[in-house]
Amino acid sequence: EGAGVGREGERCRARRQNFPQAGRAAFTATADTATREDIARKLFGGSGEIVVHGFDRPNLSLAVMPRQKGVEQMLDFLKDRRDVSGIIYCLSRKSTEETARRLADAGYRALPYHAGLSPEMRREHQEIFMAEPAVIMVATIAFGMGIDKPDIRYVLHLDLPASMEAYYQEIGRAGRDGGDAEALMLYGLSDARMRRQFIENDGEDMDHKRREHKRLDALLAYCEATRCRRQVLLSYFGEDRDEACGNCDICLDPPKLVDATREAQMLMSAIARTGQRFGTAHIIDIVRGADTEKIRERGHDSLPTFGVGAGRPKPFWQSLVRQCLAGGQLALDIEGFGALRLTELGDAVLAGKAQVETREYVSRKTGSGPRRSVQVLPENVDADLLGRLKQLRKDLAAEKGVPAYVVFPDATLMEMAALRPQSLEELGQVKGVGPKKLADYGEIFLERLNDTANPG
């Protein structure tokens, strides 16, 4: 698969000549449509039959969060998962060692795994992880091939994976026993820049680099998705899914979309007026009116856009940059050391000929769950019934060892309390109750609703 296909293609042609009557087959766990066709062309001269099985892993709960305070976010995610095994993927050997050390200091059984360790130590750590419960493997991508531990309950990415294929392959190591498992990815803009530098420096030809940049674009779009993540993930591999999964962060806590065209124009104006030669941090400093030596030296404090976005916090502007990169209005100039530049679509936004719609920004504390806010109940929601449904959710979450929102978010319970469905079919119409949730929790929630509806 990937870069190795060309080299293997030469070997395959030689084998065909030496063994013309032999049957041939090639297998890959994760490959998009273009890669599958590339394999068929190079290994079989384009005449091979391509068979694709389904990519969906419905027992995996998918979530992505902007990395703000990575260590705190990691520890918050792990605090309710001390009794289960998981994998934490890091980008570098150094971060792997540091993360394992931090976790050990916090009382976790955490082991590092990377190519820099001796073969004996890697083998020892792998054997411990495979045989013992509640072990965390903190690893680079060197860990994974041939790993078939059935009860891995989560995969946490502290850094952006290399591609959608790599991401799917890495999260696929969780929940192989069919039980519920979680996949959480933390990422930041620095990840995208570093990944693009890796692509530029890997020595492959320009066509290969172009394909890899496009694959990274797809991964960034997945991170900033505003619709069901499973639909986005499966669509990348050529599978269409009509209904939302009900088992990802977007289904559980749908983002509110707002018109951010005016703010995007502020950002893009600052980029254009500085010659499209500066990175995210400096552009945001200009928009927010920061007093930095770099701004003063270049006279950027005299720009019309200086300070126009002072009313918004830095995380808002960071989020807007990420979403504009994912939406194709901005691009990163790798040869320009990560400078932001406007695309054709970005030029249209700046000229007032196109709009930018983004997630509504909500200031939140670091954590592994969706935002929480004070709720004002609609008049048709029975507060007592809602309280009983929440207690049931709490009990089920404790039993499974997961956060309450993984069972059902508040919005779904509120709709249950308002509609009071009397059958599984009616319960399945409630927003946030997908087929898997209905199968897992439908009967018990319906029983609670019916008990309340018929108290006698």
Side-chain angles (χ1 to χ4, degrees):
E1 181 184 340
V5 172
R7 292 186 294 272
E8 186 57 35
E10 296 298 327
R11 301 189 188 100
C12 191
R13 279 188 284 273
R15 294 190 190 103
R16 286 203 301 271
Q17 293 174 355
N18 294 331
F19 305 98
Q21 304 303 319
R24 301 184 306 277
F27 301 89
T28 176
T30 53
D32 59 17
T33 302
T35 302
R36 294 196 296 267
E37 292 175 352
D38 194 33
I39 292 172
R41 184 176 65 257
K42 292 183 176 179
L43 300 190
F44 305 102
S47 62
E49 180 183 359
I50 299 177
V51 179
V52 181
H53 286 280
F55 282 85
D56 195 11
R57 292 283 307 281
N59 62 316
L60 290 184
S61 175
L62 307 175
V64 178
M65 293 178 63
R67 188 176 59 245
Q68 297 166 341
K69 297 181 179 179
V71 173
E72 291 182 20
Q73 288 170 289
M74 173 185 69
L75 293 175
D76 189 63
F77 175 80
L78 293 175
K79 67 183 181 183
D80 296 324
R81 298 165 178 81
R82 284 187 173 271
D83 299 328
V84 297
S85 294
I87 302 173
I88 297 178
Y89 280 108
C90 302
L91 187 59
S92 68
R93 299 177 185 181
K94 180 181 178 181
S95 60
T96 298
E97 295 279 359
E98 291 176 350
T99 301
R101 191 159 45 246
R102 283 180 181 271
L103 289 173
D105 291 342
Y108 293 91
R109 184 82 184 279
L111 303 172
Y113 190 104
H114 57 75
L117 298 175
S118 67
E120 294 76 20
M121 183 168 289
R122 290 201 304 272
R123 184 164 51 250
E124 178 185 353
H125 287 185
Q126 181 171 321
E127 289 174 354
I128 292 173
F129 179 72
M130 296 295 290
E132 299 184 17
V135 178
I136 301 173
M137 186 67 87
V138 186
T140 62
I141 58 172
F143 179 76
M145 297 301 292
I147 298 303
D148 195 23
K149 182 178 172 66
D151 60 343
I152 296 172
R153 296 272 67 91
Y154 61 85
V155 171
L156 170 58
H157 282 88
L158 291 185
D159 302 287
L160 194 70
S163 64
M164 289 284 273
E165 290 88 348
Y167 170 72
Y168 179 83
Q169 191 173 69
E170 287 156 14
I171 65 173
R173 284 156 193 150
R176 291 191 174 182
D177 57 1
D180 290 344
E182 297 171 88
L184 173 63
M185 184 205 308
L186 306 181
Y187 90 104
L189 283 175
S190 60
D191 293 344
R193 176 184 171 183
M194 187 172 297
R195 285 294 182 190
R196 293 203 188 278
Q197 287 176 331
F198 287 166
I199 294 170
E200 288 298 312
N201 296 331
D202 72 357
E204 295 287 344
D205 60 53
M206 291 306 298
D207 285 341
H208 172 78
K209 290 180 180 180
R210 192 175 301 111
R211 288 194 299 269
E212 292 306 306
H213 280 303
K214 290 294 185 183
R215 288 190 171 106
L216 182 56
D217 289 341
L219 181 60
L220 291 172
Y222 170 82
C223 291
E224 294 294 348
T226 55
R227 66 185 177 103
C228 171
R229 287 202 196 278
R230 199 174 308 274
Q231 288 180 323
V232 177
L233 181 64
L234 294 178
S235 175
Y236 177 80
F237 290 106
E239 288 189 23
D240 292 326
R241 181 189 177 103
D242 294 332
E243 60 184 15
C245 71
N247 195 29
C248 70
D249 55 343
I250 293 177
C251 288
L252 294 168
D253 188 31
K256 180 180 178 181
L257 300 182
V258 297
D259 185 350
T261 304
R262 178 171 171 271
E263 289 81 0
Q265 288 172 331
M266 295 178 186
L267 196 69
M268 293 171 186
S269 177
I271 295 170
R273 291 176 184 275
T274 54
Q276 306 191 64
R277 296 187 295 110
F278 295 91
T280 301
H282 184 66
I283 295 299
I284 291 176
D285 281 345
I286 292 172
V287 173
R288 297 189 69 235
D291 181 19
T292 69
E293 183 178 350
K294 188 174 182 179
I295 284 177
R296 291 193 303 271
E297 284 181 349
R298 289 163 175 77
H300 291 165
D301 50 351
S302 63
L303 293 173
T305 47
F306 181 76
V308 293
R312 294 282 198 171
K314 184 180 291 187
F316 166 83
W317 294 107
Q318 292 171 328
S319 175
L320 181 57
V321 170
R322 285 195 300 268
Q323 293 184 70
C324 285
L325 285 168
Q329 295 94 354
L330 295 178
L332 282 173
D333 183 357
I334 300 304
E335 293 182 358
F337 301 99
L340 291 173
R341 61 177 179 83
L342 276 63
T343 63
E344 185 176 344
L345 181 56
D347 287 334
V349 171
L350 188 56
K353 297 178 180 178
Q355 292 185 315
V356 174
E357 193 175 52
T358 66
R359 295 164 175 262
E360 181 184 37
Y361 175 75
V362 178
S363 178
R364 67 177 72 180
K365 297 180 180 179
T366 58
S368 58
R371 61 182 180 268
R372 302 180 183 276
S373 58
V374 178
Q375 292 178 326
V376 178
L377 297 183
E379 293 182 0
N380 61 340
V381 174
D382 184 322
D384 290 337
L385 172 57
L386 180 61
R388 288 190 285 273
L389 293 176
K390 285 186 175 182
Q391 183 60 51
L392 174 59
R393 177 183 66 177
K394 180 180 178 181
D395 294 341
L396 290 171
E399 181 180 312
K400 287 181 170 290
V402 299
Y405 72 87
V406 170
V407 178
F408 285 122
D410 284 356
T412 298
L413 297 187
M414 289 174 66
E415 189 167 329
M416 283 187 200
L419 298 178
R420 301 192 180 210
Q422 298 299 298
S423 67
L424 285 175
E425 183 179 0
E426 291 179 3
L427 184 59
Q429 301 304 309
V430 174
K431 186 176 180 180
V433 183
K436 185 177 187 305
K437 297 286 186 182
L438 192 64
D440 290 346
Y441 307 118
E443 293 284 359
I444 190 168
F445 272 89
L446 194 63
E447 182 180 349
R448 181 65 53 93
L449 287 161
N450 284 332
D451 285 346
T452 305
N454 303 289

